[in-house]
Amino acid sequence: MRVHSAAIALVASVSLTIPSTTYGFVPSSSHVVVSSSSSRVITTQNKKQQQQQQQRRLHQLLLRSTTSSETSDTSSPSAAASTKKNKKKKLGLITFDLDDTLYPIAPVLDEANAAFSTSMSNFGYVDIQPSDIVETGKEIRAAVDSEDSKDSKSSKTQDPLKPTTVNHKEIRMAAIRKEMEDFILKTKLRQTAEDWATEVESLTSPVRKSAEKWARTTVHSSVVQAVYNAWEMERHHAAERHLFPDAISTIKRIQEDHPNVIVGGVTDGSANPMLMVFSLMPLFDFTVSWEDDLDKARLMENVFQELDAVDQSDGLGWIYRLAVQKGKEMSNLTAEIKKKGENDGTDDEDDFEWCWVHVGDDLAYDVGGSATTGAKTVLVDLAPEYGQTARLRREGKRPAWTTETEEQLENHRKMSMNALEKVDATITHLGQLPEAINELLKGDDEE
């Protein structure tokens, strides 16, 4: 039988109240020690009655102590876990999705595609329309998926040098190259037909094949990269111009409410807040990207899937684990620097439990993916006038800017429906986010 610490304390208190002529203590019904300036007469009968009451109370307390100790042992794995549960929650890391969370993606991509058209024209590829890169990207995506499907049916062993799928950046660069090759091919065929005084349609197949080879040889990868760089640069400039009105003030408010919080970006595309030097860069500590960090994940976790090939939330986990790893590293460094500096009077970091909140607009990728790796999730579901496109996917509709196939769109819709129960909080404008975070942390403390 285990004896509770409270029982030991009572035994000590009983020993202090037992009459002793040596030290002059006398028992009192209110357990108050009588001062030397006063005296009280206690009859022998009262002494016996009080001692009997104390013995009964001690016996009852021992019984309760044993019961509560046994119950505690079965309901709690360890005393350490109980201590941890009582720790106050502290926001250590907040991560943001970027596209359609801090700015609308549709106008941003429209302006980036316009920059693509201008850059193509600057290199001599005239009359290329902004929408051409999107349509060509869709064709390339469909061709890659179709070829992969044929390979999987015809051979059990795929070419190890061939990528399983193609990410957004590779799709876009392939689209730029194809637009260049098509332009050179048409120009070469037209020149050949003029030299031979015939129509382009009359040119033979061998001539066309030679012209196609000419086009592939003429396009240089450095020019493709230069056009892509122009597209990507304008993408970030456009994102800064289209930031939702309360995006910056909301992040600043969170940093004020939660000093030393680490702010990170998690994106499935080309967006990078560290490149938005006039707006988000001063507010963010790091960013992780599905495209830029996938090679690192392949080394760390044997990840081989591109984002569009993922059909379950578990497949999204690596990017969030990487974000948490970076966040904790930066939190530890901040705490270490703080300890080496002067004491600013703030509470000890050991008194708090480190918590992580992820904020995003996409049920499948943001809520489903982050929740499986331990995040508190906040769904940003803004009014229609904000132009978010995630709700289109939930309805089975494909946004104009995406290159995903119908099968990928259906997988996305199913993942979104499965993630509904993983939403911890929903906000309809970014200004509600600080309060939502405080409520989530408060709710954990009350549990």
Side-chain angles (χ1 to χ4, degrees):
M1 178 181 71
R2 296 186 180 182
V3 179
H4 198 275
S5 58
I8 299 174
L10 181 59
V11 171
S13 67
V14 170
S15 64
L16 290 176
T17 57
I18 295 176
S20 173
T21 56
T22 305
Y23 296 100
F25 290 120
V26 293
S28 169
S29 60
S30 60
H31 299 285
V32 176
V33 178
V34 181
S35 63
S36 59
S37 61
S38 63
S39 61
R40 181 172 301 179
V41 179
I42 306 296
T43 63
T44 304
Q45 184 179 2
N46 288 341
K47 290 180 182 179
K48 291 182 179 180
Q49 290 177 351
Q50 193 166 22
Q51 289 176 356
Q52 290 173 354
Q53 290 175 356
Q54 290 171 345
Q55 289 175 353
R56 286 196 296 270
R57 288 180 58 199
L58 177 59
H59 180 67
Q60 292 172 355
L61 181 57
L62 288 173
L63 289 176
R64 288 199 302 268
S65 172
T66 304
T67 305
S68 64
S69 176
E70 292 174 351
T71 304
S72 175
D73 288 343
T74 58
S75 62
S76 173
S78 66
S82 176
T83 302
K84 182 177 180 182
K85 184 177 180 181
N86 292 332
K87 282 188 176 182
K88 186 177 180 181
K89 304 298 187 296
K90 177 179 180 178
L91 183 64
L93 171 67
I94 181 169
T95 51
F96 288 90
D97 170 59
L98 302 171
D99 299 343
D100 271 347
T101 296
L102 299 180
Y103 51 80
I105 187 58
V108 168
L109 291 181
D110 285 345
E111 294 177 19
N113 292 340
F116 147 79
S117 177
T118 301
S119 182
M120 292 282 282
S121 180
N122 292 340
F123 282 102
Y125 301 95
V126 297
D127 298 328
I128 306 295
Q129 301 303 312
S131 60
D132 290 343
I133 190 174
V134 178
E135 296 306 318
T136 303
K138 291 178 181 179
E139 294 174 6
I140 293 173
R141 170 70 72 186
V144 169
D145 291 341
S146 176
E147 188 175 349
D148 286 342
S149 178
K150 290 179 181 179
D151 289 345
S152 62
K153 292 179 180 179
S154 61
S155 175
K156 294 183 180 180
T157 305
Q158 294 186 357
D159 184 356
L161 299 179
K162 178 183 175 183
T164 54
T165 52
V166 184
N167 63 35
H168 297 308
K169 181 178 180 179
E170 291 170 337
I171 286 285
R172 198 161 279 113
M173 292 189 69
I176 292 172
R177 172 175 283 278
K178 188 175 187 305
E179 286 295 322
M180 291 179 175
E181 290 180 0
D182 288 349
F183 180 88
I184 293 174
L185 175 61
K186 291 176 183 177
T187 301
K188 192 63 176 178
L189 290 175
R190 186 174 63 252
Q191 291 174 348
T192 302
E194 290 175 356
D195 291 343
W196 292 2
T198 186
E199 300 295 331
V200 173
E201 291 77 10
S202 300
L203 297 176
T204 62
S205 178
V207 172
R208 287 180 174 276
K209 288 183 179 180
S210 296
E212 289 173 359
K213 186 176 181 179
W214 172 275
R216 288 194 298 271
T217 305
T218 303
V219 175
H220 198 277
S221 58
S222 62
V223 180
V224 175
Q225 185 66 54
V227 173
Y228 176 80
N229 290 345
W231 180 91
E232 190 176 68
M233 182 181 298
E234 182 58 27
R235 187 196 201 282
H236 290 98
H237 289 334
E240 291 189 290
R241 291 193 295 269
H242 289 280
L243 277 172
F244 292 137
D246 44 0
I248 293 179
S249 60
T250 294
I251 298 175
K252 287 183 177 180
R253 167 73 184 282
I254 293 170
Q255 292 173 325
E256 291 174 359
D257 290 349
H258 307 277
N260 299 325
V261 64
I262 302 301
V263 181
V266 178
T267 177
D268 61 341
S270 303
N272 187 345
M274 312 311 287
L275 297 178
M276 301 181 194
V277 295
F278 302 109
S279 56
L280 297 182
M281 187 190 74
L283 304 175
F284 277 74
D285 297 299
F286 72 89
T287 184
V288 291
S289 165
W290 195 283
E291 295 183 0
D292 296 336
D293 294 303
L294 183 57
D295 290 339
K296 185 185 298 184
R298 283 170 174 162
L299 294 174
M300 293 171 55
E301 303 190 17
N302 294 323
V303 176
F304 296 100
Q305 280 185 309
E306 299 293 346
L307 180 61
D308 288 337
V310 173
D311 57 5
Q312 293 183 357
S313 295
D314 291 344
L316 302 166
W318 73 264
I319 194 170
Y320 291 106
R321 286 190 290 273
L322 181 59
V324 172
Q325 177 184 336
K326 285 191 174 185
K328 287 190 174 180
E329 287 176 355
M330 299 187 82
S331 285
N332 291 337
L333 288 172
T334 300
E336 185 177 339
I337 294 172
K338 182 179 174 183
K339 287 180 180 178
K340 290 182 178 179
E342 295 182 0
N343 189 351
D344 58 1
T346 57
D347 295 323
D348 193 334
E349 294 291 326
D350 295 336
D351 296 335
F352 296 91
E353 181 178 346
W354 195 88
C355 292
W356 163 42
V357 173
H358 180 69
V359 184
D361 70 296
D362 194 291
L363 274 169
Y365 294 162
D366 293 318
V367 173
S370 65
T372 58
T373 47
K376 289 292 184 181
T377 61
V378 178
L379 178 66
V380 182
D381 193 19
L382 306 179
E385 55 264 28
Y386 283 88
Q388 287 180 307
T389 54
R391 59 173 55 92
L392 294 177
R393 285 169 158 170
R394 295 200 294 267
E395 296 169 359
K397 301 175 184 177
R398 184 166 62 180
W401 50 265
T402 186
T403 62
E404 64 186 349
T405 64
E406 291 297 328
E407 181 181 358
Q408 292 163 351
L409 180 65
E410 178 59 19
N411 284 337
H412 195 123
R413 188 191 67 80
K414 290 179 179 178
M415 289 172 64
S416 297
M417 296 301 101
N418 292 337
L420 278 171
E421 61 183 14
K422 299 175 182 177
V423 178
D424 292 313
T426 301
I427 59 175
T428 55
H429 64 80
L430 289 176
Q432 297 172 334
L433 183 56
E435 182 179 355
I437 292 173
N438 292 336
E439 287 298 319
L440 287 177
L441 298 179
K442 179 181 177 182
D444 276 352
D445 289 336
E446 293 176 349
E447 288 178 0

